[in-house]
Amino acid sequence: MPHHPRLLLPALALLAAVPVTAAATPRHVGPATAEAPAVSVAWRDAPVEPARVAVGDTLVAQVAVDSVPDAGVLRVSARGGRFTALPRGCVPSSIVRRRSSISADGTRLRCLVRPGPRVLRAPLEVTAGPGRAVGVVATLGRAQAAAPRLTSLGGPSAAPAYRFLSSPDFLNGDVADLRRGPGAWDPRRSPNSINAAYRSALDHVLGAFADEAPGSVLVAGDLVEGWWGTDPGRTGTFGPVGTPAERRAALRRAADTYYPQWLQRFRSRGLAVLPAMGDHELGDDPWTSRKRALAPVFERAWSRWFGRRADGSPRFADRPRRSRHELSAYAVRPTPELQVVTINVFDVTPGRARVQVDPAQLAWLRDVLRRARRDGVAWVVVQGHAPVLRTDRARGSSGLHVRGGAGSALWRIFARFGVDLYLCGEVHDVSVAERDGVVQVTHGGIFQFGLTNYLRADVRPDRVELELRDFAARSADAADGSRLWETRPAGMPAVVRVRRTPFTIGMMTLGLDGVQQASGVLRPRR
């Protein structure tokens, strides 16, 4: 999808976290004035005598603030537990503005509180071992209070059956060292497509992915910029593009440059990636007749790197064999509890361009879902690049959606066979919708403009726990106004900076009967 060529994001400040401390009784520091309002903390419905809890128990810390004349930042630190939701009274963050969030380890809550008296309820899951203390401390300005300490009885810590990450639109830019590709790059004619700033930012983001130790990373399309087979700057980096044959050859050279480097970034960190095709893997919309003529070449280039093994054999056994998208749609079952399906939502041929799933692929999808239900699979997750339900947020996107929306054959199949979660990108923002028992989470962003985020999904027998994690990031042109080269005329900002540690700005729990709880940016829209 086209995006603004010079979209700049403000710096997102990372705020220092309050140290984890605890006190036996509530206390207040300073008078209850406009500068230091009174704060109190108590356990809601917690055991009093004996004050003991077990690993996995959910407690609720109730924080009361007598008055907040102006929006203030309330900080709540947990000891022996992790927060599992952002309280309703906290102003939600967006992917470009950090207002309320939870630290990556779940022990520190930052809450931007609106003016006025507030009572906030922060759920906390006990993680402490036997004999260890469980407590919370709340701080607002100069006022501080702590809930009475509880003692953990310990207990087994239930690890998820499977963890996966989702990060659509990663990278959504032609980011690669052109000297390593098969093209004809010459530094005298065009800048490289990567520099030290990009390497550092990629290391931080992919390092955070690796720290999560996921079984797989889902990327629902727009891996690259994809304006291949064109060369408005006449650099000749991938050869001439004057004739149809030359454009096809230049496209293949570009694919053989960008795709293997994109893939190697994941492999070098031990990350198994499950990608889908986006509109940028087909040259980007709108599709002119020249782009449509290249559509089969685009799909074969993508399939060479992601749909086939090195020996040329198909990578995935479960695929729509009667569809022309046989190598760009596939199904895997990483554990008996989880079915993951990747679909290609684009019908682009030399004669037309539509955002929809072809009939042969739909027939295959029905069969995959039917088998999953027959086998008693607990959770079904589908990923595709474009949303089906309309989203209420978009940033630098042309807003592609699957034709027909909730009335499309695709969504009717989702509803009929009980798909739990549909993951998509395209709009470079976060939007959640629920309909017919299916939850659609739209997220992701353009790396070169600091919009990268990821969804962490912990799959358990009775629930799936989702956390939307964001990064403090910024981007800018170089001081001299120069930008990195890509086939798109505007190029990419030369400076991208990403703070190493992500933070959580939304949480959701899917139960066997639907959404159990949701907070922050993962709260479904009505």
Side-chain angles (χ1 to χ4, degrees):
M1 71 304 301
H3 47 67
H4 196 288
R6 291 184 178 268
L7 174 64
L8 298 178
L9 300 179
L12 301 175
L14 284 179
L15 300 173
V18 178
V20 177
T21 58
T25 57
R27 68 180 186 277
H28 307 293
V29 180
T33 66
E35 290 74 25
V39 176
S40 63
V41 187
W43 296 114
R44 188 169 182 261
D45 301 327
V48 178
E49 204 53 54
R52 297 182 183 276
V53 291
V55 169
D57 284 354
T58 297
L59 309 174
V60 176
Q62 185 162 288
V63 183
V65 181
D66 69 336
S67 66
V68 184
D70 296 306
V73 176
L74 172 71
R75 303 176 190 276
V76 188
S77 299
R79 179 178 182 181
R82 67 178 188 93
F83 295 108
T84 59
L86 287 154
R88 279 187 175 269
C90 300
V91 181
S93 295
S94 70
I95 61 170
V96 296
R97 190 172 301 238
R98 186 180 183 185
R99 299 182 180 97
S100 302
S101 59
I102 295 173
S103 62
D105 65 1
T107 62
R108 299 182 303 279
L109 166 65
R110 179 187 189 273
C111 174
L112 181 63
V113 187
R114 291 188 175 92
R118 299 287 169 189
V119 176
L120 307 171
R121 295 182 177 89
L124 185 81
E125 180 184 356
V126 176
T127 60
R132 298 299 183 108
V134 178
V136 293
V137 176
T139 305
L140 179 63
R142 292 186 290 118
Q144 187 179 83
R149 290 186 183 181
L150 305 175
T151 301
S152 174
L153 295 170
S157 180
Y162 190 77
R163 170 177 290 175
F164 68 86
L165 308 182
S166 169
S167 186
D169 301 271
F170 186 87
L171 297 161
N172 206 174
D174 290 340
V175 182
D177 187 342
L178 295 176
R179 293 169 297 187
R180 294 175 53 197
W185 178 70
D186 185 332
R188 295 169 297 182
R189 291 185 296 186
S190 62
N192 210 329
S193 288
I194 195 169
N195 59 16
Y198 275 73
R199 290 189 181 95
S200 176
L202 283 166
D203 185 60
H204 291 346
V205 172
L206 290 170
F209 287 8
D211 288 345
E212 301 282 11
S216 56
V217 181
L218 280 61
V219 181
D222 281 7
L223 289 58
V224 293
E225 180 66 50
W227 280 44
W228 305 337
T230 66
D231 189 5
R234 299 182 180 179
T235 63
T237 298
F238 295 115
V241 294
T243 68
E246 288 173 344
R247 287 191 285 273
R248 290 192 295 270
L251 187 161
R252 287 189 289 265
R253 293 188 193 103
D256 289 347
T257 298
Y258 293 112
Y259 282 149
Q261 293 190 51
W262 188 97
L263 194 55
Q264 181 59 25
R265 292 189 180 102
F266 285 85
R267 288 177 173 171
S268 66
R269 293 168 173 83
L271 296 168
V273 64
L274 298 174
M277 288 195 75
D279 55 299
H280 282 262
E281 280 69 63
L282 290 164
D284 188 17
D285 81 294
W287 285 283
T288 62
S289 58
R290 180 173 288 190
K291 284 184 183 179
R292 293 198 307 272
L294 292 171
V297 186
F298 271 110
E299 186 148 356
R300 285 194 297 269
W302 188 94
S303 298
R304 176 189 173 191
W305 291 102
F306 301 106
R308 295 187 185 276
R309 298 187 178 93
D311 63 3
S313 62
R315 185 178 301 276
F316 301 102
D318 197 346
R319 60 189 191 277
R321 297 171 188 260
R322 294 185 300 277
S323 169
R324 57 189 175 82
H325 303 304
E326 176 185 352
L327 296 176
S328 59
Y330 54 90
V332 295
R333 199 177 291 181
T335 68
E337 296 89 355
L338 175 65
Q339 176 74 65
V340 178
V341 186
T342 297
I343 57 176
N344 185 336
V345 299
F346 295 101
D347 180 20
V348 181
T349 69
R352 65 172 183 269
R354 298 183 294 198
V355 184
Q356 66 179 29
V357 179
D358 64 286
Q361 195 180 167
L362 287 174
W364 164 79
L365 176 62
R366 288 189 198 94
D367 184 59
V368 171
L369 300 180
R370 189 178 290 112
R371 282 186 276 120
R373 291 314 181 199
R374 179 198 64 199
D375 296 344
V377 173
W379 305 104
V380 176
V381 176
V382 179
Q383 71 163 344
H385 180 64
V388 182
L389 305 179
R390 287 282 175 179
T391 58
D392 55 356
R393 300 185 186 97
R395 199 174 293 274
S397 168
S398 54
L400 297 175
H401 286 73
V402 173
R403 292 179 65 184
S408 66
L410 179 63
W411 192 264
R412 292 199 303 270
I413 290 172
F414 287 175
R416 176 184 173 188
F417 292 99
V419 169
D420 299 286
L421 185 62
Y422 177 60
L423 299 172
C424 51
E426 165 66 22
V427 298
H428 312 143
D429 210 322
V430 182
S431 184
V432 181
E434 182 184 16
R435 179 166 176 156
D436 303 319
V438 184
V439 175
Q440 173 183 284
V441 177
T442 311
H443 71 108
I446 313 171
F447 182 84
Q448 59 193 285
F449 296 121
L451 286 172
T452 294
N453 53 74
Y454 69 95
L455 188 73
R456 189 182 82 174
D458 283 350
V459 180
R460 303 178 187 276
D462 62 338
R463 66 191 187 279
V464 177
E465 297 168 343
L466 304 175
E467 295 190 16
L468 195 288
R469 297 195 165 180
D470 197 12
F471 293 89
R474 68 183 181 89
S475 67
D477 293 347
D480 62 2
S482 63
R483 292 161 75 87
L484 297 186
W485 182 82
E486 61 183 351
T487 49
R488 188 183 181 96
M492 299 184 293
V495 179
V496 174
R497 291 195 174 95
V498 177
R499 294 288 183 92
R500 184 179 297 273
T501 305
F503 46 88
T504 299
I505 59 174
M507 301 174 118
M508 175 185 286
T509 300
L510 292 178
L512 297 175
D513 56 352
V515 177
Q516 291 182 341
Q517 70 87 14
S519 62
V521 296
L522 290 186
R523 191 183 302 279
R525 64 180 171 86
R526 294 179 179 176

